[in-house]
Amino acid sequence: MITRTKTGSLKPTARFNLLHTTSSQSDPTSYNEANKMLEWRKAMAAEFLALQKQETWQLVPAPINKQILGCKWTFRTKLHADGSIARYKARLVALGNQQEYGLDYVETFSPVAKLPTIRVLFTVALYHDWKIHQLDVENAFLHGDIQETVYMRQPKGFEDPANPHHVCLLHKAIYGLKQALRQWYTTFCNHLLKLGFLPSQADPSLLILHKGNTTLFLLVYVDDILLTGNDEGAISSFLQQLNSTFALKHLGSAHHFLGIRIQHNQDKYFLSQETYAASIIHQANLENCNPTANPSCTKLPAAINSSSSTMTDPSVYRQITGALQYLTITRPDIAFAVNTLSQHMHSPQDSHFFLLKRLLRYIKGTIAYGLPITKSDLRLTTYSDADWASDPITRKSTSGYCTFLGRTLLSWTVKKQTTVSRSSTESEYRALTAATADTLWLKRLLADFFISHDFPVDLHCDNTSAIALAQNPVYHARTKHIEIDHRFLREHISSGHLRLIPIKTEDQIADIFTKPLSTPRFKFLRDKLTIVSDPFA
């Protein structure tokens, strides 16, 4: 008997997984895919209308022997802080990777606000009981004019039927161009300068208006803006002036900035990235993992079975580790563990996969943790530490330091030193020098907020030899090669900018940034860093 099995016409049995929950639909990756859905067609039409209103380009015949850039549509679903859908966003992006330096662009650099500046802004506003307004600029890059002659093909799906072979001669810095960010920043800041704002000397992305009794502070991070000051009437008048030139959206009080959830009550801000942390755990497929209490371990197990791990692909290791670096904005307790993993991006071994999984298990158990900003005095305090020759291969030391403004943690750093130190004193001294430079910058930044800090900043160190070397004008044979750092640190101590204070090792907060710790010790220092669970939950 000739059956369908013998002829090969038997269809395979469809087996359905009734226990599987369907995940949310991902964003489309091409125009053809997006064009099948109504919400994305509306988003593309709205974007194209905005481009026409801004007179972004002019259709001209295709030139001969000229570079013509391509373009593509990108799609992203914008979410609220609680994970619900806010809107569907389509963006037309020029293929700037086809541009040639000197022909299509020259300068590309544009400053963005430094993260410690954002924390200082929240701390100062909380101290003075000022409201922080959050603004967003629609199609921000289209406000910047470009000086170069750049041609681009017409966007797919919106070709002019009368001139289908014409190309776009760009007048505005459309998204994707290498000079777009710089042109937007230049255009926006020049407009603010005309209104009386002046850039900060410590951070050019902070602009300050000080007229009479009115003081306003405006912080720019690409097209996301924070605005605060002591006069709500002046803020309202300024927003009306700004809205006449740029299409602004006033989002109310700061609540979700750069992916950071901002919660506020009368005397506290709480910054967290719970949704972002959950997305990283989902990417690693560890939603059901068992949490752990420590992000790192002081001793690796004798045998590591990598076959049982869900992350054995080096590209996945690099993706997740890179994503974790952004999580350290509000989670300094994982800064050392992320720094350790980041040093092995090129060739991760089984031990690094084990440490990455352990870190993700710790994040799973502390997913609601974040950084509080509390109302207190505005006095700077810095802690500096180093772990001598901690790298077993290069024998380089690890520096770690952090700075508080009152009880609020402003800045922290974990970094492997660039040179090998010949003694623990030298490694501690180099960490002190780096902490001094960061503290002096924060002191200048506070001066731009009109907060005088005339008294010396307390710099805590647990190495008595490094303190003696910094305070006593004696050059030893083993310290001749660090003379520049020696002069730099001693000059600021003698001038009264800093005051070195010895501290016990068990009270050294910066110890959490230099080495893996036991769980009780880690939790003790994490509490000193003020990293806590969501107090508003």
Side-chain angles (χ1 to χ4, degrees):
M1 181 183 294
I2 300 176
T3 63
R4 286 181 295 172
T5 304
K6 294 181 179 180
T7 59
S9 60
L10 184 64
K11 295 181 179 180
T13 304
R15 302 183 183 275
F16 298 97
N17 183 4
L18 301 180
L19 301 178
H20 179 69
T21 57
T22 57
S23 59
S24 58
Q25 189 174 10
S26 60
D27 296 336
T29 57
S30 65
Y31 169 81
N32 293 333
E33 183 181 352
N35 195 42
K36 299 176 183 178
M37 292 171 276
L38 178 61
E39 59 270 18
W40 291 115
R41 289 200 300 268
K42 290 181 178 179
M44 287 188 289
E47 172 72 3
F48 185 77
L49 180 61
L51 294 171
Q52 296 300 308
K53 287 182 178 180
Q54 292 287 342
E55 299 180 353
T56 308
W57 61 66
Q58 174 187 356
L59 287 180
V60 298
I64 302 175
N65 298 328
K66 291 289 186 179
Q67 172 79 346
I68 301 176
L69 305 180
C71 63
K72 65 174 294 185
W73 289 98
T74 61
F75 309 94
R76 184 180 179 186
T77 304
K78 304 291 285 188
L79 304 176
H80 293 294
D82 58 358
S84 59
I85 296 177
R87 63 190 178 99
Y88 297 96
K89 184 176 182 179
R91 180 77 73 195
L92 181 65
V93 179
L95 300 182
N97 58 336
Q98 301 173 356
Q99 291 182 268
E100 296 184 16
Y101 177 77
L103 296 178
D104 302 319
Y105 71 98
V106 180
E107 293 289 344
T108 61
F109 173 77
S110 177
V112 293
K114 297 176 176 61
L115 296 173
T117 308
I118 299 175
R119 301 185 193 104
V120 172
L121 181 74
F122 277 95
T123 306
V124 173
L126 184 65
Y127 180 81
H128 294 291
D129 294 322
W130 295 343
K131 181 180 179 181
I132 300 179
H133 300 265
Q134 184 172 351
L135 312 174
D136 183 57
V137 183
E138 293 185 1
N139 302 104
F141 288 7
L142 302 184
H143 294 282
D145 298 326
I146 58 176
Q147 308 300 325
E148 300 81 9
T149 302
V150 180
Y151 297 95
M152 184 188 75
R153 294 187 179 90
Q154 297 186 51
K156 189 173 183 179
F158 294 86
E159 295 88 351
D160 187 355
N163 301 292
H165 300 293
H166 279 39
V167 295
C168 304
L169 174 60
L170 296 180
H171 301 308
K172 302 290 185 178
I174 192 172
Y175 288 82
L177 295 183
K178 293 183 179 295
Q179 67 268 43
L181 184 59
R182 181 182 180 90
Q183 294 303 121
W184 152 245
Y185 177 83
T186 303
T187 301
F188 185 68
C189 289
N190 287 341
H191 183 74
L192 292 179
L193 293 177
K194 294 177 182 178
L195 297 179
F197 280 82
L198 293 176
S200 165
Q201 297 297 319
D203 189 346
S205 297
L206 174 67
L207 294 107
I208 306 159
L209 174 66
H210 185 63
K211 289 184 179 179
N213 296 326
T214 301
T215 304
L216 303 182
F217 299 96
L218 186 143
L219 194 63
V220 183
Y221 198 106
V222 191
D223 57 349
D224 294 312
I225 300 171
L226 295 178
L227 175 65
T228 188
N230 62 354
D231 190 340
E232 286 295 321
I235 291 177
S236 300
S237 176
F238 165 71
L239 290 179
Q240 292 178 0
Q241 294 179 353
L242 202 61
N243 200 24
S244 62
T245 305
F246 305 99
L248 281 180
K249 286 196 301 184
H250 188 196
L251 305 178
S253 300
H255 60 280
H256 200 263
F257 186 72
L258 304 179
I260 303 171
R261 185 184 182 190
I262 304 167
Q263 297 170 273
H264 174 55
N265 64 9
Q266 186 175 1
D267 60 348
K268 179 182 290 186
Y269 280 101
F270 185 74
L271 312 182
S272 62
Q273 297 170 275
E274 182 176 352
T275 304
Y276 181 70
S279 67
I280 297 176
I281 295 173
H282 174 73
Q283 181 183 359
N285 196 22
L286 291 176
E287 294 95 332
N288 300 320
C289 67
N290 296 323
T292 185
N294 196 330
S296 55
C297 56
T298 55
K299 185 178 180 180
L300 290 172
I304 299 176
N305 185 9
S306 61
S307 61
S308 62
S309 175
T310 58
M311 296 170 296
T312 56
D313 185 0
S315 63
V316 175
Y317 177 93
R318 286 187 278 269
Q319 291 173 5
I320 297 177
T321 304
L324 287 171
Q325 292 178 2
Y326 192 73
L327 186 60
T328 59
I329 293 176
T330 59
R331 296 293 302 272
D333 52 327
I334 66 171
F336 173 77
V338 174
N339 178 270
T340 302
L341 295 173
S342 301
Q343 297 177 25
H344 305 281
M345 292 278 212
H346 58 289
S347 180
Q349 305 298 319
D350 291 344
S351 59
H352 306 134
F353 286 108
F354 172 82
L355 292 174
L356 176 58
K357 185 176 180 179
R358 183 182 178 90
L359 174 57
L360 292 174
R361 290 172 57 200
Y362 169 76
I363 295 173
K364 177 67 165 58
T366 59
I367 196 168
Y369 278 49
L371 177 66
I373 295 178
T374 56
K375 182 182 293 188
S376 61
D377 62 280
L378 300 179
R379 184 185 181 94
L380 285 175
T381 307
T382 301
Y383 296 84
S384 173
D385 193 23
D387 189 22
W388 179 46
S390 56
D391 192 315
I393 299 176
T394 63
R395 307 309 296 175
K396 293 181 180 179
S397 307
T398 301
S399 298
Y401 53 88
C402 58
T403 303
F404 290 81
L405 184 60
R407 295 194 302 270
T408 299
L409 181 61
L410 284 187
S411 175
W412 59 88
T413 296
V414 182
K415 186 177 181 181
K416 183 192 290 186
Q417 296 182 3
T418 56
T419 58
V420 178
S421 299
R422 299 172 62 186
S423 64
S424 60
T425 300
E426 181 182 342
S427 65
E428 294 274 0
Y429 198 90
R430 294 193 184 280
L432 277 175
T433 305
T436 298
D438 186 68
T439 303
L440 293 176
W441 176 80
L442 287 172
K443 194 173 180 179
R444 292 199 306 270
L445 182 63
L446 288 175
D448 291 331
F449 281 94
F450 305 102
I451 298 175
S452 59
H453 209 283
D454 300 329
F455 42 86
V457 178
D458 292 341
L459 180 56
H460 298 274
C461 179
D462 60 359
N463 189 285
T464 55
S465 299
I467 294 175
L469 183 63
Q471 292 178 339
N472 299 318
V474 176
Y475 287 93
H476 192 272
R478 290 193 298 177
T479 60
K480 290 180 180 179
H481 56 290
I482 59 171
E483 181 179 352
I484 296 178
D485 289 345
H486 195 237
R487 291 181 180 273
F488 172 76
L489 181 56
R490 182 177 299 166
E491 177 183 351
H492 289 288
I493 293 176
S494 60
S495 61
H497 297 154
L498 297 171
R499 182 176 60 176
L500 269 180
I501 299 178
I503 189 175
K504 294 182 180 179
T505 301
E506 53 265 27
D507 296 328
Q508 176 58 272
I509 300 178
D511 199 29
I512 197 173
F513 298 118
T514 59
K515 61 179 74 68
L517 303 171
S518 63
T519 300
R521 172 72 173 161
F522 172 79
K523 289 184 175 180
F524 173 77
L525 294 181
R526 185 182 65 187
D527 293 339
K528 291 287 187 180
L529 282 178
T530 70
I531 303 303
V532 294
S533 184
D534 185 359
F536 299 96

